[in-house]
Every structure is written in structure tokens, then in C-alpha cells.
Amino acid sequence: MSRLRHMLDRLIPLFRFKRIRVRFLLAMIILVVPALMLLGFISSNIAKSMITSINSENNQNHLRTSSEVADLLFRNVQNLHLSIVTNDTVNETLRRSNERTEQVTGRSNKLGDEATNRLQQILGERIIDTRFVRSICLFDLNFRVSCIGRSDDVGQYEQAGQGAIAHTDWYKQVYSAQGKVVYFPNDVLGESANVFSTVKLVRDDMAVPGMPIGLLVVNIDRQLFSKVFPSREDYEGFVVLDNNKVNQVQTVFSNAPITSTANTMNERIAAYEEDGYLISRYTNSTTGWSFLHLVQRSALLRQSNQIAYATLGVAALMGLLAVVLSYFISGTITRPLLQLKKLMLDWTQGKLKLPDYFGRDEVGTIGETFKRIVGENEELNQRLIATEMKEKEAELRALQAQIKPHFLYNTLDSIYWMATLQNNHEVARMAVSLSESFKLSLNKGRESITVYRELQHIGHYLNIQNIRFNNRFTYIEQVDEGVKGMEIMKLLLQPLVENAIYHGLEPKVGPGTVSLTGIYDDQQLIFTVEDDGVGMSDPASVMEGYGLRNVLERMKLAYGEQSTLEVESEPGKGTRVTLRFRPKVE
């Protein structure tokens, strides 16, 4: 350790330049150059943040517009559903088919040519845009089917039996939708990978209004989204995601150059961000699908990096100029300062001969100030010492004056006798206790009191409070006998008990206990006041009040700055206040 200290003592002076000019130059290098570099770094980050923010805002607006375009296309699909399910011929065909009782096998699983021709007729008569409709399938309640745009089969349910459709999640979801068009991210019949399905429950509007009579499946080509999302740069793309009821995300559409197999939306977005993409998200109101816009962060911030390099270059050039200029300017500052230094050295040696006139610059102002300091130094020192003594004395008297009672306890004696004559013993006891409390507070004008008499003061205070609150409070006193004869500053312990009653036990429902302990240990008096009241979550806040803060300030003034007041508390379990100080020994 000594060898290390010796090495440091030899190295440190090497960096303590004696000339102010060298220090000034070094300070300029240390302050200016890093500051300019930091300015360039901050400017670059601000530029990146602005570009990112503007890009996110623009992308959000683009997604909102794309969602509105998608809503228009989805509205065409919904209108197509409505045209089919409200067609009288379709409804009649479904009702007749539902009345057929033969088992759904072979050709009996078809609705028939009439249904197919009617679907083709409706589709041909439409004036709305149906170019993205790839197939339409109409089912009765027995899942007999008629399709256009595909063969009359049920895809993956062909082998398992068409009745298996009734047990699928998508069918249950459509049935629960009560006639609303439900959007699914894939082909519910499991035949095509390039379409997504829209399914609607067909209701009977004649015999039993609202009774389901069939199911309508319209498959839409995913290329619909190529009309929704505009062609952008090659470093960005769009993704449409669907969250099902168990929070399993499925991809409806994607033209982004990356893929992710994450199971949830948050995991999928996190995977995109790990791949270096900035993400904007918008929820489509019709389908509930999430539209994502992905932008490569590196490509987006390429221009901001150029700004960063340019800013750092300019900052470095400015730093170099600042160092060169500081070298010449420092000379004009240090020369007058060296002259002023010589005057100060002469003054310390008692041979000062001040000039009649200093320059009009800042150094000259310092010289004039130095002349005033020389003339007023001794007078100022004497006044400062006297002022500090008076301030301490005034502060002590002010704090003591705040707690001196100014009541006439003789009047309380009269109240006592009047209460006694009227047989009001509670009032009489309270008057006696209050009178004795005032006497102890006055203490014949003395600022110190024995611990024994301070404990009497506390006893009278507890007597008054128990009369007020019908003996709710129990007081436990455990003070060493050797401590009771020692003298302390008056009203040092009573405010602690009063604070425990007022803040701890009064708000508590039912009886409460306050205890006081006192010991003399290691030349210190240690008093602890503890209650089982309501407690508090922020013990430090109690010092903002007048009571405990006044006790601590008086204690520090009387017994020194090493005196302490500690507060420990927990809500619902009570509060403990501990005083520690070194008493004055006669």
C-alpha cells in the first residue's frame, strides 16, 4: 500500500502544470473537443429519432388508408353474401334439401344443378367487383353442397364425411356469429393455400324467421391484398396477421422478405424487430386482423448515418480551431493574472504597494475588488464571528420560545375547586393534571429538567388523554433508575409521546399501548418511544411536521450535531422513535 501511494505521489505532479496557460489550453481540449463530439452524436441520434418518428407516423397513415381500401373490398364480399342468402330461389332450394331424409352419401351429398345454376346467375348479374372471388360453396343443414369455381366436394372433409364439419371450430364460430360474415385466414375446406374464407350462416326469412337453413362459404384470393397495399421500396413489406381465440397467430398475407414461425402476436413482432425491422401496426375494423408494415432499420437510417459522419467531421474541425484560438487568447488572460498574483504575494509579505488604477477589463475589476478586500478583511472577520454567535443564540431562544406554555395555571386551580364542588371529578382530575403539566413546562424558568420530572409531565399528559378517550391508552414506562436523576432539556420526551398518541393511537380503532424506555449506554442517553398504532408507509414524512423536527433541532443545538432522532414505522404495526445524545455532565 505504501509503495502504491509513493508511486501516485510521484505521478500526480506530472499532470499538474504550473502555467495557467497550459492548464487553460488543456481544459479547452478536454471540454471543447468531447463536447463537440457529443454534440455530433446527439445530433445524429436526434436525426435518427426524427426520421424514425416521421416514418412511423407516415406508415401508420398508410396502414389506415390501406385498411379503409380493404374495408371497401370486404364490403363487396359482404354484399355478395347478402345477395345470395336473400335470394328466394336459394332459400327455397335449401328448405327443400333440408327436408330430404336420405343419408348423405354419393351423389346425395349435392344440392343439385338448380342451386349451382342460381349461384352462377347471381354472380353473373352482379355489378360489384368480384374478381377476387375464387369459389362459392352453398351447404344445407345436412352439408349437401353446391359449388362454383371448384368441384362439388368438401375438400379435406370428403373422406371424413361431410358431417364432420359440424364439429369444427370454424363452424361453431360461424354458428355463434348469428348471421354475421366471419373471416378466416385460410381455406376452411383445406383445399387451396392461396385463398382465405369468408363464411356466413344462411337464415330462413319465411317459415321460422331467423332459423338457420344453410351455410355459405366464399373463398377470396389472397391477391386481394396486392390492391390494398401499395408497391413500396424493396426494403419494406406488408404482413396481415390473425389472432385466434387461443392467441395463436396465423399469416393471412405477406410480401415481406422475412418469415417467422412464432406462435403469438408479441413473439412474431419481437422476431421481426430482432431481424432489424421497424414495425407499424393497425387493426382492421372489419376483420379484426392486424396489418403490419415492416421497414429495414438499416436502410431507413442510411441517410441519418451520413448526417452523423458529416456532423462529427464538422465537430472535429471546430474543435481543432477552438484549440488553436484558445492558445492565443489564453496569453491575453494569463499575463494580467500573473501581475495580480504578484500583488497578492506582496500583500501576504506585508510589503504591498497597490497601484492607483487597474485596467477596465475583468482582471481590473478583480484588482479593484482586491483593494477593497485588503481594507475590509479584518473588520469583516470580526463582524462574521460576532454575527454567527448571535445567530446561534437567537436560533436557540426562538426554538425554546416556540414550546413555552403561556397559560395561567392558577386559573386551572380555580377550575379544579369549582369542578370538585359540583362533583365533576373527571374535570377536576383533568384540571389538576393540566395545571401540573404547565408547572413542569415552566420549570421556574430553567431550560433543563430531571428525567424524573419529565416523566411526571408525560404521566399528567397521559392522564388528560385517557380522560378524553375513556381510558383507551395504556402507558408502559421502563426507565433505568440511574437515568431518572440525570438532567435533560425540558420538553424533550413529552412531544414524542404526544406524537405517538395523535398520529398512532387516536386513528386506531380500539385500545392502544405506548411505551417509553430509557438507558444510559456508552456515554449516551437513549430514549425509545414505541406505539402499536396505525403506523405509516413513509416514516421520513413525519419529520416534515413541527413536533419531531423541533425536538431534533433543539437537541442538536443543545447536545451537538452528533445527536440523532430515528423513526421506524410499518403500516398497521406501529411506530418507534429513538433519541440518542450525549448529555452535559456537570
Side-chain angles (χ1 to χ4, degrees), residues 192-210:
S192 176
N194 297 319
V195 301
F196 63 91
S197 296
T198 63
V199 187
K200 179 179 176 64
L201 193 67
V202 183
R203 293 173 171 273
D204 191 349
D205 56 357
M206 293 183 60
V208 182

Side-chain angles (χ1 to χ4, degrees), residues 75-129:
R75 191 171 296 119
N76 287 338
V77 175
Q78 291 177 337
N79 290 336
L80 175 60
H81 275 277
L82 185 62
S83 298
I84 295 174
V85 300
T86 57
N87 185 271
D88 294 338
T89 302
V90 170
N91 277 262
E92 181 61 27
T93 301
L94 289 174
R95 282 193 292 268
R96 288 201 308 268
S97 179
N98 289 330
E99 294 173 358
R100 294 161 57 187
T101 59
E102 68 269 21
Q103 185 178 1
V104 181
T105 58
R107 290 193 53 83
S108 65
N109 68 343
K110 313 299 181 182
L111 282 178
D113 295 337
E114 182 182 2
T116 302
N117 294 335
R118 192 53 184 162
L119 289 177
Q120 291 175 342
Q121 182 181 359
I122 293 174
L123 193 62
E125 293 175 350
R126 293 192 53 78
I127 60 173
I128 62 175
D129 187 2

Side-chain angles (χ1 to χ4, degrees), residues 1 28 55 160 209 218 333 425 432 441 454 468 504 511 528 533 546 579:
M1 181 64 71
M28 290 296 292
N55 180 76
V218 178
I333 298 175
H425 301 294
V432 170
S441 298
E454 181 74 1
R468 288 182 58 203
T528 301
Y546 171 75
L579 294 182

